Amino acid sequence: MSAVGGSTRRSEREGCGRLTGSTRPTSRDVARAAGVSQATVSLVLGGKWHGRVSERTAHAVRDAAGRLGYRPNLAARNLRLGRTRTALMVVPALTNEYFARVYTGAALVAAEHGFGVVLYPSPDGVGPARDPFGSARAAIDGVIASSMAADALTGIGGGELPLVMLDSGPAAPGGPPTVDLAVGDGFRQVVRHLVALGHRRIAHVAADIDSWTFHERTRTVAAELSAVPGAELTSERCSLDVDAGRSAALRALRGPGPRPTALLCDDDILAAGACKAARSLGLRVPADLSVTGFDDLALATALDPELTSVRLPAEAVGDRGMTALLSLLDGGSVGPVELPVELVVRGSSAPPPA
């Protein structure tokens, strides 16, 4: 035996399980090290082992892959499957905390299945959204769209890619799967909270956005207050930013007739503007005027007093949306999902002034 040959063999034996030199470990090496079949390795490392492989076996496979330094050849697998293992998430804005949280929920599920998620803003949520890739069908496997109109997505992949709609309203028969929030129930909770406190003159500071979620808020507020004897509802529409919310709130508070005792806002951002409007008029929140929001963003607890708002499970929306898309890609059927929301009562709402 030559000195060089002996050294090489000792190096391979003493490598603590990791293959040395330029040799790239394969799934067969992982299977041999873990004492399982290559099919089991594929299930575990592909994230499809639940209910088919024991936790102990899955741990053994992952441990063997780690010791050997094994990394799956994603390019070869994607070519074989005809997939890019990439999903596109289309949102109206990148600056809104809610959409960041939705993305986080989707990306966590995607990562567990070896997928990536590309975030794409399309500010005109009613469309049509432009194809960011030129040919999305060649670049992505499917689309998740949050707070968009379904027909706004036809420009992406020619409308032929698997699609899941988030917070966009119940789909028409044969339409894409939907994951919605119980927006109507959230606004019912807010209205009933204000009514229970004694408010009857309520102004709705409404987002002037042509989408299902905001239409649902307007419908619910009107329906709830129409059933309350003596209730008076006014409404001011505006774009979704603090300054616009402030201007809309000022219009509501300076309008003809008795001043509203509560401002019910479509969003925490509009509620922040409403609080600024109240201060500019010398009104105290909540002693002179109650203000409520929706979304329960970090902003809600940064205001003083802290904002009564409706908490939305944004991460869960992204989670369920990505789960639905993965099921579509595997040929499964996906039904509609509606996630509950929760009213969080804080210091910005109180009984109206005597």
Side-chain angles (χ1 to χ4, degrees):
M1 178 185 295
S2 71
V4 173
S7 174
T8 300
R9 289 180 175 85
R10 283 195 300 274
S11 174
E12 290 176 349
R13 286 197 301 268
E14 295 166 5
C16 298
R18 182 182 292 273
L19 297 182
T20 60
S22 61
T23 303
R24 177 173 178 165
T26 67
S27 62
R28 182 175 298 173
D29 297 321
V30 175
R32 187 182 299 115
V36 299
S37 68
Q38 278 185 271
T40 298
V41 171
S42 178
L43 285 173
V44 173
L45 299 184
K48 298 181 179 182
W49 63 273
H50 295 279
R52 303 162 81 176
V53 174
S54 72
E55 179 73 46
R56 182 177 179 180
T57 298
H59 176 77
V61 170
R62 290 193 293 263
D63 181 66
R67 284 188 286 107
L68 294 173
Y70 172 74
R71 295 291 183 274
N73 188 334
L74 293 179
R77 181 172 66 178
N78 294 343
L79 183 63
R80 184 174 67 252
L81 297 175
R83 289 184 179 177
T84 66
R85 302 192 76 79
T86 302
L88 181 71
M89 175 172 282
V90 186
V91 299
L94 292 180
T95 54
N96 190 298
E97 175 191 332
Y98 169 78
F99 297 118
R101 290 164 51 199
V102 172
Y103 171 81
T104 298
L108 287 173
V109 172
E112 291 174 357
H113 293 82
F115 269 70
V117 181
V118 176
L119 191 59
Y120 175 56
S122 181
D124 295 326
V126 294
R130 291 181 293 110
D131 189 330
F133 302 104
S135 178
R137 280 177 291 179
I140 59 176
D141 292 330
V143 179
I144 304 171
S146 183
S147 305
M148 304 280 291
D151 56 8
L153 283 305
T154 55
I156 298 179
E160 297 177 10
L161 286 165
L163 170 65
V164 176
M165 303 297 296
L166 312 181
D167 193 29
S168 300
T178 57
V179 179
D180 286 322
L181 293 160
V183 171
D185 181 60
F187 266 81
R188 276 189 291 274
Q189 292 182 53
V190 176
V191 172
R192 292 174 184 181
H193 167 67
L194 292 174
V195 168
L197 289 173
H199 293 278
R200 294 298 181 271
R201 298 195 304 276
I202 297 174
H204 181 201
V205 180
D208 192 13
I209 299 175
D210 185 17
S211 67
W212 169 82
T213 185
F214 290 110
H215 292 324
E216 184 70 10
R217 298 168 202 220
T218 297
R219 284 193 296 267
T220 302
V221 171
E224 281 294 306
L225 286 177
S226 68
V228 177
E232 300 175 14
L233 172 65
T234 57
S235 179
E236 292 290 343
R237 307 190 72 79
C238 62
S239 58
L240 193 55
D241 63 69
V242 173
D243 287 341
R246 178 180 181 276
S247 297
L250 285 173
R251 293 195 300 271
L253 294 170
R254 289 170 170 168
R259 189 176 64 215
T261 61
L263 297 180
L264 188 158
C265 303
D266 267 358
D267 179 274
D268 293 348
I269 294 170
L270 296 183
C275 289
K276 292 182 70 173
R279 284 195 299 273
S280 72
L281 296 176
L283 299 175
R284 298 163 299 162
V285 176
D288 302 315
L289 178 73
S290 287
V291 177
T292 64
F294 201 88
D295 286 358
D296 199 31
L297 306 175
L299 175 63
T301 54
L303 295 173
D304 185 18
E306 294 186 356
L307 188 65
T308 293
S309 187
V310 173
R311 180 172 296 158
L312 308 182
E315 289 88 350
V317 172
D319 178 308
R320 297 296 292 272
M322 190 67 209
T323 300
L325 182 60
L326 291 171
S327 181
L328 285 181
L329 292 172
D330 284 341
S333 59
V334 181
V337 174
E338 185 179 75
L339 299 174
V341 301
E342 174 191 6
L343 175 65
V344 181
V345 177
R346 299 192 180 97
S348 70
S349 56

